[in-house]
């Protein structure tokens, strides 16, 4: 009896262990069954959906360039001398003929005064020679009458005639001297005018390259002046694409600084020589008047190359995620997933898709601010 109780006491813990294992396995199985049960996706109804179409779009050649003033020049002194005064600064508007800078004019002014005195002296010599010639002419006329009447000898007449010819030659010489003095005066006055740097046309000062006290010399720029109101886009076109650019044609130009406003430009010049480094040609496109235009702005001109096939989607379908752009695409079960795409040019309310979508795929056209990822979409 005691032996049976001992066996029974050993069997009870073993039975309890087996029962715990069975119960644990059962509970684990129930837990796994609950985890494997799929959760039904949330359904969003009345959503606008469309298939991705393929369409012909304009094939445009885009040429980047810089806006330049149609009239621009660098002003330099035509003589050597110290700059004593600058009358304008960057941003100042100037008028044609306005004095912009003054060069030291002490020596040119002295030269003008000397030349003026020489001209006055020459005028007095001419006046004196004219008087002498007038007297000699009168004397010759009187002796001519006397000679005709045989009242004077031929020798006396010849002497009077010789004095007249000498007076005439002296008068001509003084007039030549006067012409030389006037020419010298004009020359020194021209040199004196070089002490004043003038605006060549109406415009604005865009750059000042010197200060008072600087030694000005011929060819050393002092100012840069640009004309007002007329601007051009100078764009580089690759040698292989130059055939799409024609003189006189209208070309849309987009300047980013003008809120990407499209301007209607006109090709006015194609520089015939290519840049040997970039193998591109410089094309100048005249822009319409716009007070917002400034020299140095970045712009892009567009030239037509015909048409090409492309995928187009509504701009409203694009979802912004930081610097990335995506669209909600539906699978065969109408489950939406956000797919990032590469976009191209806009065309009205449509935008071109360069990569990330295929023709015929269905996408949500107006997701707005909704998070549709992994949700079932019921179209309108």
């Amino acid at each position: 009896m005691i032996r049976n109780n001992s066996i029974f006491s050993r069997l009870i813990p073993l039975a309890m262990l087996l029962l715990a294992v069975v119960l644990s396995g059962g509970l684990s199985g129930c837990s796994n069954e609950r985890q494997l049960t799929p959760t039904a996706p949330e359904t969003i109804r009345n959503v606008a959906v469309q298939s991705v179409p393929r369409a012909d779009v304009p094939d445009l050649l885009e040429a980047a360039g810089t806006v330049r003033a149609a009239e621009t020049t660098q002003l330099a002194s035509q003589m050597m001398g110290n700059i004593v005064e600058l009358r304008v600064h960057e941003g100042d508007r100037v008028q044609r003929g306005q004095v912009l800078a003054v060069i030291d004019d002490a020596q040119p002014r002295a030269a003008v005064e000397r030349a003026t005195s020489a001209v006055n002296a020459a005028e007095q010599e001419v006046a004196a020679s004219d008087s002498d010639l007038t007297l000699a002419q009168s004397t010759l006329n009187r002796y001519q009458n006397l000679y005709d009447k045989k009242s004077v000898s031929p020798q006396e007449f010849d002497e009077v005639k010789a004095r007249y010819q000498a007076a005439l030659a002296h008068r001509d010489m003084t007039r030549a001297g006067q012409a030389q003095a006037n020419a010298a005066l004009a020359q020194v006055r021209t040199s004196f005018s070089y002490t004043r740097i003038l605006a060549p046309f109406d415009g604005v000062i865009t750059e000042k390259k010197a200060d008072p006290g600087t030694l000005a010399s011929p060819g050393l720029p002092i100012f840069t002046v640009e004309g007002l109101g007329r601007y051009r886009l100078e764009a580089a076109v690759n040698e292989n694409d130059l055939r799409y650019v024609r003189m006189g044609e209208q070309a849309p130009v987009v300047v980013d600084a003008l809120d990407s406003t499209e301007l209607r430009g006109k090709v006015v010049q194609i520089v015939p020589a290519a840049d040997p480094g970039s193998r591109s040609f410089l094309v100048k496109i005249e822009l319409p008047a716009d007070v917002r235009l400034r020299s140095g702005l970045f712009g892009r001109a567009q030239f037509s190359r015909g048409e090409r096939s492309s995928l187009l989607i509504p701009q409203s379908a694009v979802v912004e995620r930081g610097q990335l752009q995506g669209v909600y695409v539906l699978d065969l079960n109408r489950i939406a997933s956000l797919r990032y795409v590469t976009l191209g040019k806009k065309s009205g309310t449509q935008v071109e898709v360069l990569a990330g979508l295929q023709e015929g795929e269905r996408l949500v056209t107006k997701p707005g601010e909704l998070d549709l990822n992994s949700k079932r979409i019921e179209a309108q």
Side-chain angles (χ1 to χ4, degrees):
M1 184 71 182
I2 295 173
R3 184 178 177 181
N4 290 337
N5 290 337
S6 175
I7 294 173
F8 183 74
S9 62
R10 287 197 301 269
L11 290 176
I12 290 175
L14 181 61
M16 294 180 64
L17 178 61
L18 291 175
L19 179 61
V21 170
V22 171
L23 291 176
S24 175
L27 292 174
S28 176
C30 294
S31 176
N32 288 337
E33 289 180 0
R34 287 196 298 271
Q35 291 178 357
L36 294 176
T37 302
T39 302
E42 180 183 353
T43 301
I44 306 297
R45 294 179 172 81
N46 296 324
V47 177
V49 176
Q50 77 166 49
S51 298
V52 179
R54 183 172 292 276
D56 291 333
V57 297
D59 185 12
L60 299 178
L61 165 65
E62 190 170 85
T66 304
V67 176
R68 306 284 187 193
E71 284 185 307
T72 181
T73 185
Q74 289 187 333
L75 300 181
S77 173
Q78 294 180 272
M79 62 174 293
M80 184 171 290
N82 289 325
I83 300 175
V84 296
E85 184 181 1
L86 293 178
R87 299 184 178 179
V88 292
H89 299 85
E90 290 93 342
D92 290 348
R93 294 197 174 191
V94 297
Q95 296 180 343
R96 179 185 179 91
Q98 179 180 340
V99 177
L100 308 181
V102 179
I103 309 297
D104 185 11
D105 60 0
Q107 293 184 355
R109 186 181 297 277
V112 169
E113 292 176 354
R114 288 195 301 270
T116 302
S117 298
V119 168
N120 294 334
E123 289 177 352
Q124 293 178 0
E125 290 182 3
V126 168
S129 65
D130 284 342
S131 299
D132 292 342
L133 180 61
T134 300
L135 177 59
Q137 180 70 54
S138 300
T139 303
L140 179 62
N141 292 337
R142 287 195 304 270
Y143 269 77
Q144 182 69 52
N145 292 332
L146 295 174
Y147 180 75
D148 293 340
K149 296 177 181 180
K150 308 295 183 178
S151 300
V152 295
S153 65
Q155 182 178 358
E156 292 177 327
F157 178 73
D158 290 341
E159 290 177 355
V160 172
K161 186 176 181 181
R163 287 196 294 270
Y164 166 75
Q165 291 175 345
L168 179 62
H170 184 260
R171 194 279 309 271
D172 292 342
M173 184 178 64
T174 56
R175 286 189 175 181
Q178 182 186 33
Q180 289 181 348
N182 287 331
L185 178 60
Q187 182 179 5
V188 296
R189 281 178 174 172
T190 300
S191 298
F192 180 79
S193 69
Y194 294 160
T195 64
R196 305 293 188 269
I197 298 178
L198 309 179
F201 46 75
D202 294 348
V204 61
I205 303 295
T206 59
E207 190 174 7
K208 179 177 70 71
K209 299 184 177 181
D211 295 303
T214 302
L215 179 62
S217 59
L220 182 65
I222 299 176
F223 295 109
T224 299
V225 183
E226 293 185 356
L228 296 173
R230 294 180 55 215
Y231 289 91
R232 293 175 179 175
L233 177 71
E234 297 183 359
V237 177
N238 187 276
E239 59 183 356
N240 296 325
D241 296 323
L242 189 64
R243 64 183 183 272
Y244 300 113
V245 182
R246 292 174 293 277
M247 280 290 298
E249 74 168 312
Q250 299 290 326
V253 175
V254 176
V255 179
D256 294 348
L258 307 187
D259 299 327
S260 298
T261 302
E262 184 175 286
L263 305 175
R264 299 300 298 177
K266 179 180 179 182
V267 178
V268 295
Q269 184 180 358
I270 301 175
V271 177
D275 184 295
S278 62
R279 304 298 180 188
S280 61
F281 289 81
L282 185 65
V283 177
K284 297 183 180 181
I285 305 163
E286 186 171 354
L287 301 177
D290 193 310
V291 296
R292 299 173 297 171
L293 286 174
R294 293 291 183 273
S295 182
L297 296 179
F298 174 78
R300 290 170 281 114
Q302 296 177 343
F303 303 95
S304 176
R305 291 188 294 198
E307 292 186 340
R308 57 185 173 83
S309 180
S310 179
L311 299 178
L312 293 178
I313 64 172
Q315 180 67 30
S316 60
V318 178
V319 178
E320 303 284 346
R321 291 291 186 268
Q323 299 296 324
L324 301 178
Q325 297 170 316
V327 294
Y328 285 108
V329 182
L330 306 186
D331 61 12
L332 296 178
N333 296 320
R334 302 192 304 278
I335 303 300
S337 62
L338 182 62
R339 185 186 300 176
Y340 293 107
V341 295
T342 302
L343 301 180
K345 297 181 177 63
K346 296 180 181 179
S347 177
T349 60
Q350 304 286 310
V351 63
E352 180 183 5
V353 179
L354 302 179
L357 283 179
Q358 294 182 358
E359 181 181 1
E361 288 189 298
R362 303 180 69 198
L363 54 81
V364 178
T365 59
K366 294 182 180 180
E369 299 297 328
L370 297 176
D371 183 7
L372 303 180
N373 205 31
S374 301
K375 297 178 181 179
R376 186 185 302 275
I377 303 300
E378 294 289 344
Q380 290 179 344

